[in-house]
Amino acid sequence: MKLYDISLSGNCYKVRLFLSLLDKEYETIPVNTAAGDTRTAMFLKLNPRGQVPVLEDHDLVIWDSTAILMYLARRYGNESWLPRDAIELAMVGQWLAVAQNEILYGIARARAMLLFKRAGDLQEYQTIGTGILEVMEQHLENRDWLALKHPTIADIACYPYVLLAPDAGITLEHYPAIQAWIDRIKTLPDYKDML
Ligand SMILES: N[C@@H](CCC(=O)N[C@@H](CS)C(=O)NCC(=O)O)C(=O)O
């Protein structure tokens, strides 16, 4: 397997973390957006959106971190990561949606402004980010994991940018249940730090 990767990207870290939890070997292909790597004809053939992560598994090419997590869970993980039961699957889906909405367009965007000088409305992104952290905090007050009674890809999808919220100028001090959830994720076998 090959992962087209940016080391500081939370979206790529979701995939690296899950590959590690699944104990899967892979080759990393570092991508440099500043050098235009994601705009080349070759890269756009892999992902017409011009973004990482992209996973190659034999002849298969998958782009988007959520799609990659789903693929890896079904193909290489046990059912607990992505259940087949309709209700359980929907519980996981809800949080996959949060990862690609408020977490991405709130926390990740604010982080990209502060760390990588991306343009945007910092205050708006931080407001979206803190809004979803409030929701997560309440949700996790009486639960160990986001979707089910055990870890699923919902936890892996939401984790990186929540962990990185301080980079977005958002402190996690006021969110003890989120901090406990972060600590819980760090104890998973084969857990891997971002860098
Ligand atoms: N929804 C996508 C978002 C991917 C994304 O935003 N990737 C960023 C890095 S975190 C990227 O490749 N940016 C380069 C660019 O837009 O040129 C996913 O989850 O994979």
Side-chain angles (χ1 to χ4, degrees):
M1 262 190 285
K2 282 185 193 167
L3 177 67
Y4 292 80
D5 179 63
I6 295 177
S7 58
L8 289 176
S9 155
N11 286 311
C12 293
Y13 176 43
K14 293 174 197 178
V15 178
R16 296 199 303 269
L17 173 58
F18 196 43
L19 283 165
S20 177
L21 296 175
L22 294 178
D23 200 18
K24 293 296 296 176
E25 302 233 329
Y26 63 99
E27 180 190 347
T28 302
I29 315 280
V31 169
N32 181 348
T33 39
D37 288 359
T38 50
R39 295 281 140 208
T40 64
M42 190 221 92
F43 191 86
L44 291 171
K45 234 190 227 173
L46 294 174
N47 181 1
R49 283 164 119 187
Q51 295 175 331
V52 288
V54 175
L55 185 81
E56 269 183 12
D57 192 10
H58 303 284
D59 291 340
L60 182 70
V61 178
I62 309 169
W63 43 259
D64 197 281
S65 60
T66 302
I68 296 170
L69 292 181
M70 293 169 85
Y71 168 74
L72 291 173
R74 270 286 184 276
R75 180 86 177 76
Y76 298 112
N78 61 40
E79 198 162 307
S80 71
W81 289 110
L82 181 62
R84 287 180 191 274
D85 172 82
I87 297 172
E88 292 190 347
L89 185 61
M91 298 296 114
V92 173
Q94 290 178 161
W95 291 99
L96 295 178
V98 166
Q100 290 291 357
N101 286 278
E102 293 93 331
I103 291 179
L104 185 61
Y105 292 108
I107 303 173
R109 286 286 175 268
R111 175 176 178 261
M113 283 191 73
L114 292 177
L115 238 56
F116 310 119
K117 311 260 180 283
R118 264 187 71 148
D121 184 334
L122 183 63
Q123 209 179 347
E124 186 192 337
Y125 298 153
Q126 288 176 333
T127 303
I128 295 171
T130 46
I132 197 61
L133 290 176
E134 299 286 343
V135 171
M136 286 181 76
E137 176 67 17
Q138 267 191 24
H139 183 77
L140 286 166
E141 265 164 12
N142 50 9
R143 284 179 187 82
D144 283 350
W145 306 101
L146 285 175
L148 301 175
K149 293 209 160 80
H150 53 79
T152 66
I153 59 169
D155 299 285
I156 309 305
C158 292
Y159 174 72
Y161 288 111
V162 170
L163 177 75
L164 296 168
D167 285 354
I170 301 170
T171 175
L172 290 174
E173 261 171 40
H174 316 299
Y175 305 113
I178 291 178
Q179 287 183 42
W181 169 75
I182 288 174
D183 291 343
R184 226 168 274 130
I185 291 184
K186 288 185 177 176
T187 65
L188 291 173
D190 290 314
Y191 172 85
K192 189 185 162 90
D193 274 326
M194 181 165 181
L195 296 174

